[in-house]
Amino acid sequence: EIRPRDWSSDVCSSDLNAWEFGGVACSVANTGTGQTATVELTYGSDVTCTFTNRLRPTLTIQKYTTGGADTFQFTVTGATSLNTSITTAGLPFFGATTATPINIGEHTVSEIQLAGWTLTDFTCTLGSGTDTNNNGIPDIWTFNAKYGDNVV
């Protein structure tokens, strides 16, 4: 039994990089801040506080090569800044990053071209590509990530 008084509970979600605190709403006045709800309980009161988390978008970069394996560098700019590399291996030659949580908002992904390799395709599950080399193949991809998106 909770006795009538001011009562505070600091409920924190796990420190999972994939989740972002979205807010707290209570059925009575809440004087808490951040991830803390502070409510006044009285005899017979029925109080509900709902804490909301939002799933951050993720980005996975995949690379296929024909004719051999190598290590390729990628740059992500915009709402999230990231430099990563992918080494292709096996048959077919393939490599990928793990799904990385990113911020919501606009992002641009580009591959740093390696000598001896020719980019023949660049696609993404979200957004659009830009052909800055004027060879008919997008070499920069721009997308706007929203909560829950899984961009590949």
Side-chain angles (χ1 to χ4, degrees):
E1 175 182 339
I2 298 175
R3 303 187 72 76
R5 64 180 174 90
D6 287 340
W7 184 75
S8 178
S9 175
D10 187 10
V11 180
C12 297
S13 63
S14 301
D15 187 19
L16 299 175
N17 196 28
W19 294 93
E20 179 179 286
F21 177 69
V24 59
C26 296
S27 59
V28 297
N30 171 18
T31 59
T33 59
Q35 296 183 21
T36 301
T38 304
V39 298
E40 183 178 333
L41 300 177
T42 59
Y43 284 110
S45 64
D46 182 8
V47 177
T48 301
C49 291
T50 303
F51 292 79
T52 304
N53 289 342
R54 297 177 290 216
L55 182 60
R56 292 178 58 199
T58 59
L59 173 64
T60 303
I61 301 173
Q62 299 177 337
K63 178 69 176 179
Y64 290 89
T65 57
T66 302
D70 213 329
T71 299
F72 300 85
Q73 304 295 320
F74 292 85
T75 301
V76 179
T77 58
T80 303
S81 294
L82 174 68
N83 293 310
T84 190
S85 63
I86 296 173
T87 300
T88 57
L91 287 174
F93 296 103
F94 173 77
T97 63
T98 58
T100 304
I102 57 175
N103 298 319
I104 61 166
E106 189 167 296
H107 295 78
T108 299
V109 178
S110 59
E111 179 181 349
I112 300 169
Q113 292 301 300
L114 278 173
W117 290 94
T118 302
L119 183 64
T120 60
D121 194 15
F122 193 158
T123 61
C124 188
T125 58
L126 187 65
S128 61
T130 303
D131 176 13
T132 63
N133 295 325
N134 297 316
N135 63 358
I137 307 292
D139 53 306
I140 294 175
W141 206 273
T142 303
F143 62 92
N144 188 17
K146 296 179 178 59
Y147 289 109
D149 283 347
N150 181 20
V151 183
V152 180

